[in-house]
Amino acid sequence: QVQLEESGGGLVQAGGSLRLQCGASGRTSLQYAMGWFRQAPGKEREFVAGIKWRNGNTNYADSVKERFTISRDRDKKTMYLQMNSLKPEDTAVYYCAAAINTNIYAPRESTDYDSWGQGTQVTVSS
């Protein structure tokens, strides 16, 4: 199983940018799908963006399209989430996740992932 560790969270003003990183270690596979999820206080964990490790296919939640960009560097075993035009409603703990998955795009359901990082806090002030 792969181990994941997020970094890059912090406090930013509305309209600002942050870049999150998710480093993978241990047994990795080209068959992985990886995703970013977030969870705000009192809310369920929700899908933000996903990427297929082999071919780089990406998918996004409607709420972050045109503002967030997911990418990966296979050599560095690292996934990124570039977040621009941040809004207060983007405030949450952000988690990266991974799973073996052969679909064209990464799954959007958290239950489809079996490896998770510890999370990193993103706070957007108004």
Side-chain angles (χ1 to χ4, degrees):
Q1 196 171 16
V2 67
Q3 289 79 47
L4 304 173
E5 184 173 5
E6 305 94 337
S7 61
L11 173 64
V12 65
Q13 288 188 331
S17 298
L18 281 174
R19 188 173 84 151
L20 305 183
Q21 292 189 181
C22 174
S25 60
R27 189 171 183 176
T28 58
S29 167
L30 287 175
Q31 291 184 307
Y32 270 122
M34 296 190 70
W36 286 100
F37 288 77
R38 65 187 182 187
Q39 188 166 19
K43 295 188 176 181
E44 292 188 354
R45 191 168 297 190
E46 65 174 357
F47 174 80
V48 175
I51 190 165
K52 293 303 301 287
W53 203 248
R54 179 187 294 274
N55 57 24
N57 283 352
T58 60
N59 51 340
Y60 296 90
D62 288 344
S63 59
V64 306
K65 276 181 183 176
E66 310 301 331
R67 298 189 299 123
F68 292 9
T69 302
I70 189 172
S71 61
R72 91 288 191 234
D73 185 324
R74 281 165 42 173
D75 291 337
K76 294 181 178 179
K77 293 185 179 181
T78 302
M79 177 175 67
Y80 304 94
L81 185 68
Q82 178 66 43
M83 305 186 294
N84 299 329
S85 303
L86 282 161
K87 304 175 181 180
E89 51 263 43
D90 294 318
T91 295
V93 178
Y94 283 69
Y95 299 89
C96 65
I100 298 290
N101 187 285
T102 57
N103 292 344
I104 295 174
Y105 294 100
R108 292 173 177 260
E109 295 295 328
S110 60
T111 51
D112 289 326
Y113 293 83
D114 52 20
S115 296
W116 291 86
Q118 81 288 350
T120 185
Q121 177 71 46
V122 171
T123 303
V124 184
S125 63
S126 57

